Amino acid sequence: MECMIVYAVDAGGEYVTLDEIFRRHPSDARGIYVNLTNRCTCACTFCLRTMKKMAEEHTLWLRQEPLTGEVRKELDEAFSKHGDKINEVVFCGFGEPTMRLEDLVYLLKYAKENFHGIKTRLNTNGLSDLNYNRDTAPDFGGGILDTISISLNASNAERYLALTRSEFGARSYDAMLEFATHCKKYVADVVLTVVDHVEDEEEIEKCRKICSERGLRLRVRAYEDK
Ligand code: SF4
């Protein structure tokens, strides 16, 4: 099965090529997604990526990570064919985009410089500070990133660790929250997310409180919703 580097998401979380999405919905403006890596520092219990057989058969499972030049080429093609209908470039995919932080920042800049007026978004686990052992929020400054969507997952460190199985252990939750708070200085829209079917209403309410205490926005998202 051919792997997709730049792709779109249709109703119900179906991953499709750009030609297919704009054939199905010729008059809709929408975001496109960039799949940089399968790697991640978490192994979330609900992540398709952790179910290896399923992952290997999946169109987003990269046999080899694309070079930045290959991603650039796909973005150029996407915008030359469908540019009038693309309103956002989202770095997302099967793995954690910040595993390739330098390439990610380069591509965010490339998108802003080459596709006039385009919005950019990053979906992340928010653990890049721990992965690189430094403050990484400033990397997203300078207007290259409009929205950062960070997986909050839970209202406390124990529940978070049980769900994400982060390789950094118990300190992950606080580090993720600190990163999110720090991002407010550099990114206009900082959103934390929880998955609706993983958490019950009481837990979601607690997550809401954590976000409002820090001036962050919470989005409760469906499992396959990007
Ligand atoms: S952080 Fe995202 S990519 Fe990584 S294991 Fe969890 S759901 Fe999957």
Side-chain angles (χ1 to χ4, degrees):
M1 190 177 285
E2 179 118 10
C3 178
M4 296 190 290
I5 298 169
V6 176
Y7 63 100
V9 185
D10 206 352
E14 183 191 1
Y15 304 116
V16 294
T17 63
L18 300 193
D19 286 345
E20 180 59 18
I21 199 83
F22 291 116
R23 187 189 65 74
R24 291 183 194 177
H25 309 281
S27 51
D28 290 4
R30 60 178 61 238
I32 60 169
Y33 296 81
V34 182
N35 179 21
L36 283 185
T37 182
N38 302 326
R39 291 178 291 140
C40 186
T41 49
C42 294
C44 298
T45 52
F46 52 85
C47 181
L48 288 177
R49 178 185 155 274
T50 59
M51 299 170 209
K52 204 164 186 330
K53 187 164 186 309
M54 189 152 184
E56 282 173 357
E57 286 169 2
H58 204 286
T59 52
L60 292 186
W61 186 259
L62 297 163
R63 274 164 196 86
Q64 209 176 358
E65 291 185 349
L67 300 171
T68 51
E70 292 175 275
V71 180
R72 257 186 3 230
K73 188 164 166 275
E74 287 218 11
L75 286 172
D76 290 345
E77 274 171 21
F79 277 86
S80 76
K81 275 168 126 175
H82 311 288
D84 54 332
K85 283 171 277 172
I86 300 171
N87 56 16
E88 190 178 37
V89 175
V90 185
F91 288 81
C92 179
F94 236 177
E96 166 54 42
T98 63
M99 298 302 288
R100 297 181 60 185
L101 186 57
E102 205 178 308
D103 293 340
L104 170 66
V105 167
Y106 169 81
L107 289 165
L108 284 167
K109 271 190 199 140
Y110 182 81
K112 280 289 182 188
E113 284 168 6
N114 290 276
F115 312 124
H116 181 70
I118 196 68
K119 294 277 181 203
T120 53
R121 171 157 57 103
L122 167 65
N123 291 357
T124 176
N125 63 14
L127 298 177
S128 47
D129 286 3
L130 291 181
N131 198 25
Y132 295 96
N133 210 16
R134 68 175 176 85
D135 177 13
T136 54
D139 294 30
F140 301 111
I144 61 170
L145 185 58
D146 296 294
T147 302
I148 188 161
S149 178
I150 302 166
S151 305
L152 175 66
N153 286 311
S155 71
N156 61 75
E158 293 71 32
R159 171 99 182 117
Y160 177 88
L161 189 56
L163 279 175
T164 63
R165 299 180 287 188
S166 161
E167 68 179 51
F168 305 111
R171 65 199 172 121
S172 303
Y173 188 70
D174 287 347
M176 173 272 298
L177 276 178
E178 201 176 311
F179 170 75
T181 309
H182 203 182
C183 278
K184 289 200 299 175
K185 279 194 208 160
Y186 303 98
V187 183
D189 190 21
V190 181
V191 188
L192 297 194
T193 66
V194 281
V195 178
D196 61 357
H197 86 200
V198 177
E199 300 307 332
D200 60 28
E201 210 22 73
E202 194 186 338
E203 177 69 3
I204 288 173
E205 226 11 82
K206 288 183 193 162
C207 291
R208 235 177 230 120
K209 190 161 176 282
I210 284 171
C211 289
S212 77
E213 281 166 2
R214 291 167 176 77
L216 299 163
R217 183 158 71 86
L218 181 73
R219 184 166 81 93
V220 181
R221 67 180 178 90
Y223 181 42
E224 286 285 5
D225 188 7
K226 295 280 180 182

